[in-house]
Every structure is written in structure tokens, then in C-alpha cells.
């Protein structure tokens, strides 16, 4: 029986590692009473070579309440591997604190650019400034960075 080369063994190992990481159940989204929703609520960027960037994905922030809502913060958990553009999409949220009327929405874009090999999880977080207490909505982000001879 022929022996496999070291590179073939590494490819097989990476394949099974990817199966293990991506075939596990996804964490559940935490339910919040936030009047804002984010669509999509989760996005898997899939496989990306270390140092390569994915195309930007548009996320829409919707006001589902009957009152105007001011966004106090749009942030990323796990900055570095994910890049947030507040001026992305067809109706950019922009910098500052945008106010969304009932049924209104604004957009941001996100890209995945991993800096090290492995599974990367993060979240897009949006906080309201009122009326009432500050509430937070989030969208789950996921990607897997692999070694790339690109």
C-alpha cells in the first residue's frame, strides 16, 4: 500500500477538522425585547484563506416598533477578523446616531478577513438609545479560516 505524502495528510486533516467545526449545532440566538431586528440574523462566511477578504454582505437593521428608535451604537464583537462598514448597502446607517421611524431601516456591510487559521465566531451588535431603556439586538457571524497558497 502506498504511503501518503505529508501534504496529502495535512489536506485530509484540514478536511476532517472543517467537518468537525461546521457540523456541530449552531448556538441559539438570545432573545431580546429590542425594537430593532437585524437581517440576516446570522451569516456563515464559510471557508476563507488567511489574509483573504470575503465580498461584503449587507445587513439590514429594521425598526419593528410603533415608535421612532435612535441607534446609539453599531459594533462588532471579534473585530479584526470581521470588518464593519457603516456606509455600506443601499440605505447606509452612517456614522452618528441614526433615528429610524416606525417600519424604517438602514444598512451596513460586513466582510470576513481572517488573520489566523481556525474557526471564528463574532456578532454584529446594535443598541438603541430610547425611548426607554437601552436594548441590544445581535446577529451571529461565523467563518473558518484555512491556510491558503493563494
Amino acid at each position: 500500500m502506498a504511503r501518503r505524502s505529508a501534504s496529502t495528510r495535512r489536506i485530509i486533516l484540514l478536511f476532517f477538522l472543517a467537518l468537525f467545526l461546521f457540523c456541530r449545532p449552531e448556538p441559539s440566538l438570545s432573545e431580546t425585547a429590542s425594537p430593532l431586528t437585524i437581517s440576516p440574523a446570522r451569516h456563515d462566511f464559510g471557508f476563507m484563506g488567511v489574509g483573504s477578504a470575503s465580498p461584503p454582505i449587507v445587513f439590514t437593521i429594521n425598526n419593528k416598533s410603533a415608535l421612532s428608535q435612535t441607534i446609539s451604537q453599531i459594533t462588532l464583537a471579534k473585530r479584526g477578523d470581521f470588518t464593519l462598514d457603516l456606509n455600506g448597502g443601499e440605505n447606509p446607517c452612517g456614522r452618528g446616531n441614526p433615528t429610524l421611524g416606525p417600519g424604517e431601516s438602514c444598512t451596513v456591510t460586513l466582510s470576513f478577513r481572517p488573520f489566523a487559521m481556525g474557526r471564528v465566531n463574532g456578532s454584529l451588535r446594535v443598541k438603541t438609545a430610547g425611548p426607554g431603556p437601552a436594548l441590544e439586538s445581535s446577529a451571529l457571524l461565523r467563518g473558518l479560516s484555512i491556510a491558503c497558497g493563494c
Side-chain angles (χ1 to χ4, degrees):
M1 182 171 190
R3 292 182 50 109
R4 293 190 173 115
S5 70
S7 62
T8 302
R9 287 192 303 267
R10 273 188 241 126
I11 290 170
I12 291 170
L13 178 64
L14 284 173
F15 173 76
F16 283 106
L17 177 66
L19 282 176
F20 170 75
L21 293 174
F22 279 99
C23 292
R24 297 187 328 191
E26 292 187 22
S28 61
L29 288 171
S30 60
E31 295 296 320
T32 64
S34 177
L36 300 177
T37 60
I38 304 172
S39 179
R42 67 183 61 193
H43 184 75
D44 188 337
F45 287 88
F47 297 95
M48 186 63 51
V50 172
S52 299
S54 72
I57 302 298
V58 175
F59 285 78
T60 303
I61 301 166
N62 299 293
N63 178 5
K64 64 180 182 178
S65 77
L67 301 171
S68 290
Q69 298 292 324
T70 300
I71 297 174
S72 63
Q73 247 182 355
I74 303 174
T75 59
L76 281 176
K78 190 63 178 172
R79 282 176 290 191
D81 291 307
F82 298 103
T83 305
L84 172 64
D85 181 2
L86 297 173
N87 295 310
E90 291 183 19
N91 186 26
C93 295
R95 303 220 178 267
N97 297 20
T99 298
L100 300 177
E104 290 184 341
S105 64
C106 65
T107 56
V108 298
T109 57
L110 284 170
S111 297
F112 177 49
R113 184 182 182 134
F115 292 101
M117 283 181 41
R119 182 178 183 173
V120 181
N121 294 308
S123 62
L124 171 63
R125 296 180 179 166
V126 179
K127 290 185 181 178
T128 62
L135 298 170
E136 184 176 293
S137 298
S138 63
L140 298 177
L141 309 172
R142 185 164 77 171
L144 180 66
S145 57
I146 58 174
C148 183
C150 306

